[in-house]
mmCIF file of all heavy atoms in Angstrom:
data_model
loop_
_atom_site.group_PDB
_atom_site.id
_atom_site.type_symbol
_atom_site.label_atom_id
_atom_site.label_comp_id
_atom_site.label_asym_id
_atom_site.label_seq_id
_atom_site.Cartn_x
_atom_site.Cartn_y
_atom_site.Cartn_z
ATOM 1 N N THR A 226 79.614 78.939 76.535
ATOM 2 C CA THR A 226 80.486 78.287 77.573
ATOM 3 C C THR A 226 80.740 76.901 77.095
ATOM 4 O O THR A 226 79.804 76.165 76.753
ATOM 5 C CB THR A 226 79.668 78.219 78.925
ATOM 6 O OG1 THR A 226 79.391 79.521 79.366
ATOM 7 C CG2 THR A 226 80.504 77.576 79.999
ATOM 8 N N LEU A 227 81.960 76.528 76.841
ATOM 9 C CA LEU A 227 82.403 75.359 76.180
ATOM 10 C C LEU A 227 82.902 74.341 77.196
ATOM 11 O O LEU A 227 83.655 74.685 78.140
ATOM 12 C CB LEU A 227 83.488 75.607 75.214
ATOM 13 C CG LEU A 227 83.200 76.675 74.137
ATOM 14 C CD1 LEU A 227 84.414 76.922 73.295
ATOM 15 C CD2 LEU A 227 81.990 76.300 73.293
ATOM 16 N N ALA A 228 82.542 73.046 76.945
ATOM 17 C CA ALA A 228 83.122 71.891 77.732
ATOM 18 C C ALA A 228 84.640 71.903 77.436
ATOM 19 O O ALA A 228 85.077 72.348 76.423
ATOM 20 C CB ALA A 228 82.419 70.694 77.433
ATOM 21 N N PRO A 229 85.476 71.360 78.357
ATOM 22 C CA PRO A 229 86.928 71.356 78.192
ATOM 23 C C PRO A 229 87.369 70.917 76.786
ATOM 24 O O PRO A 229 88.185 71.540 76.144
ATOM 25 C CB PRO A 229 87.468 70.505 79.276
ATOM 26 C CG PRO A 229 86.407 70.623 80.310
ATOM 27 C CD PRO A 229 85.104 70.773 79.695
ATOM 28 N N ALA A 230 86.849 69.664 76.390
ATOM 29 C CA ALA A 230 87.365 69.122 75.063
ATOM 30 C C ALA A 230 87.052 70.085 73.925
ATOM 31 O O ALA A 230 87.842 70.410 73.024
ATOM 32 C CB ALA A 230 86.710 67.702 74.843
ATOM 33 N N GLU A 231 85.782 70.641 73.980
ATOM 34 C CA GLU A 231 85.376 71.541 72.910
ATOM 35 C C GLU A 231 86.140 72.852 72.936
ATOM 36 O O GLU A 231 86.559 73.388 71.895
ATOM 37 C CB GLU A 231 83.879 71.849 73.207
ATOM 38 C CG GLU A 231 83.159 72.383 71.953
ATOM 39 C CD GLU A 231 81.749 72.738 72.196
ATOM 40 O OE1 GLU A 231 81.243 72.460 73.323
ATOM 41 O OE2 GLU A 231 81.090 73.399 71.345
ATOM 42 N N ALA A 232 86.438 73.246 74.173
ATOM 43 C CA ALA A 232 87.225 74.518 74.301
ATOM 44 C C ALA A 232 88.652 74.374 73.709
ATOM 45 O O ALA A 232 89.144 75.247 73.009
ATOM 46 C CB ALA A 232 87.437 74.908 75.814
ATOM 47 N N ILE A 233 89.308 73.201 73.907
ATOM 48 C CA ILE A 233 90.590 72.921 73.352
ATOM 49 C C ILE A 233 90.524 72.847 71.811
ATOM 50 O O ILE A 233 91.396 73.471 71.133
ATOM 51 C CB ILE A 233 91.181 71.640 74.018
ATOM 52 C CG1 ILE A 233 91.467 71.826 75.428
ATOM 53 C CG2 ILE A 233 92.483 71.230 73.354
ATOM 54 C CD1 ILE A 233 91.870 70.697 76.240
ATOM 55 N N ASP A 234 89.466 72.200 71.326
ATOM 56 C CA ASP A 234 89.343 72.093 69.802
ATOM 57 C C ASP A 234 89.207 73.410 69.259
ATOM 58 O O ASP A 234 89.842 73.796 68.258
ATOM 59 C CB ASP A 234 88.134 71.260 69.577
ATOM 60 C CG ASP A 234 88.409 69.780 69.575
ATOM 61 O OD1 ASP A 234 89.646 69.435 69.715
ATOM 62 O OD2 ASP A 234 87.509 68.980 69.477
ATOM 63 N N THR A 235 88.317 74.252 69.898
ATOM 64 C CA THR A 235 88.101 75.510 69.349
ATOM 65 C C THR A 235 89.388 76.386 69.382
ATOM 66 O O THR A 235 89.718 77.145 68.386
ATOM 67 C CB THR A 235 87.033 76.263 70.298
ATOM 68 O OG1 THR A 235 85.873 75.447 70.264
ATOM 69 C CG2 THR A 235 86.613 77.657 69.716
ATOM 70 N N TYR A 236 90.123 76.326 70.496
ATOM 71 C CA TYR A 236 91.266 77.098 70.657
ATOM 72 C C TYR A 236 92.345 76.754 69.588
ATOM 73 O O TYR A 236 92.932 77.560 68.940
ATOM 74 C CB TYR A 236 91.915 76.920 72.098
ATOM 75 C CG TYR A 236 93.227 77.647 72.215
ATOM 76 C CD1 TYR A 236 93.260 79.005 72.438
ATOM 77 C CD2 TYR A 236 94.433 76.904 72.187
ATOM 78 C CE1 TYR A 236 94.456 79.737 72.520
ATOM 79 C CE2 TYR A 236 95.664 77.638 72.345
ATOM 80 C CZ TYR A 236 95.601 79.010 72.542
ATOM 81 O OH TYR A 236 96.807 79.707 72.639
ATOM 82 N N ARG A 237 92.506 75.474 69.381
ATOM 83 C CA ARG A 237 93.452 74.949 68.333
ATOM 84 C C ARG A 237 93.087 75.402 66.912
ATOM 85 O O ARG A 237 93.890 75.834 66.166
ATOM 86 C CB ARG A 237 93.579 73.430 68.427
ATOM 87 C CG ARG A 237 94.345 73.030 69.648
ATOM 88 C CD ARG A 237 94.630 71.565 69.673
ATOM 89 N NE ARG A 237 95.596 71.237 70.715
ATOM 90 C CZ ARG A 237 95.503 70.189 71.500
ATOM 91 N NH1 ARG A 237 94.536 69.330 71.343
ATOM 92 N NH2 ARG A 237 96.413 70.108 72.555
ATOM 93 N N ARG A 238 91.716 75.413 66.678
ATOM 94 C CA ARG A 238 91.273 75.884 65.329
ATOM 95 C C ARG A 238 91.582 77.369 65.231
ATOM 96 O O ARG A 238 92.124 77.817 64.185
ATOM 97 C CB ARG A 238 89.723 75.580 65.221
ATOM 98 C CG ARG A 238 89.395 74.202 64.618
ATOM 99 C CD ARG A 238 87.955 74.285 64.067
ATOM 100 N NE ARG A 238 86.988 74.777 64.943
ATOM 101 C CZ ARG A 238 86.369 74.047 65.950
ATOM 102 N NH1 ARG A 238 86.751 72.790 66.034
ATOM 103 N NH2 ARG A 238 85.467 74.604 66.713
ATOM 104 N N GLU A 239 91.287 78.032 66.292
ATOM 105 C CA GLU A 239 91.552 79.587 66.227
ATOM 106 C C GLU A 239 93.053 79.900 66.062
ATOM 107 O O GLU A 239 93.457 80.736 65.341
ATOM 108 C CB GLU A 239 91.039 80.287 67.587
ATOM 109 C CG GLU A 239 89.533 80.327 67.620
ATOM 110 C CD GLU A 239 89.127 80.845 69.026
ATOM 111 O OE1 GLU A 239 89.982 81.041 69.889
ATOM 112 O OE2 GLU A 239 87.928 80.986 69.197
ATOM 113 N N TRP A 240 93.818 78.993 66.742
ATOM 114 C CA TRP A 240 95.286 79.235 66.613
ATOM 115 C C TRP A 240 95.802 78.883 65.194
ATOM 116 O O TRP A 240 96.659 79.674 64.714
ATOM 117 C CB TRP A 240 95.939 78.307 67.685
ATOM 118 C CG TRP A 240 97.470 78.564 67.649
ATOM 119 C CD1 TRP A 240 98.450 77.731 67.083
ATOM 120 C CD2 TRP A 240 98.118 79.607 68.221
ATOM 121 N NE1 TRP A 240 99.687 78.276 67.265
ATOM 122 C CE2 TRP A 240 99.536 79.407 67.996
ATOM 123 C CE3 TRP A 240 97.816 80.731 68.951
ATOM 124 C CZ2 TRP A 240 100.523 80.309 68.403
ATOM 125 C CZ3 TRP A 240 98.810 81.632 69.394
ATOM 126 C CH2 TRP A 240 100.105 81.467 69.121
ATOM 127 N N ASP A 241 95.317 77.827 64.628
ATOM 128 C CA ASP A 241 95.695 77.476 63.279
ATOM 129 C C ASP A 241 95.343 78.535 62.296
ATOM 130 O O ASP A 241 96.121 79.053 61.391
ATOM 131 C CB ASP A 241 95.051 76.189 62.767
ATOM 132 C CG ASP A 241 95.673 74.953 63.522
ATOM 133 O OD1 ASP A 241 96.745 75.162 64.112
ATOM 134 O OD2 ASP A 241 95.150 73.920 63.513
ATOM 135 N N ALA A 242 94.106 79.134 62.493
ATOM 136 C CA ALA A 242 93.668 80.204 61.567
ATOM 137 C C ALA A 242 94.518 81.427 61.776
ATOM 138 O O ALA A 242 94.841 82.143 60.795
ATOM 139 C CB ALA A 242 92.144 80.486 61.958
ATOM 140 N N TYR A 243 94.841 81.695 62.973
ATOM 141 C CA TYR A 243 95.755 82.874 63.321
ATOM 142 C C TYR A 243 97.106 82.688 62.608
ATOM 143 O O TYR A 243 97.575 83.666 61.959
ATOM 144 C CB TYR A 243 95.843 83.000 64.782
ATOM 145 C CG TYR A 243 97.003 83.878 65.309
ATOM 146 C CD1 TYR A 243 96.992 85.278 65.100
ATOM 147 C CD2 TYR A 243 98.046 83.308 65.965
ATOM 148 C CE1 TYR A 243 97.974 86.060 65.478
ATOM 149 C CE2 TYR A 243 99.107 84.168 66.321
ATOM 150 C CZ TYR A 243 99.152 85.493 66.080
ATOM 151 O OH TYR A 243 100.100 86.340 66.470
#
Side-chain angles (χ1 to χ4, degrees):
T226 300
L227 307 178
E231 200 184 352
I233 292 172
D234 278 352
T235 306
Y236 177 75
R237 286 189 172 138
R238 272 201 309 278
E239 287 173 355
W240 183 258
D241 289 345
Y243 164 68

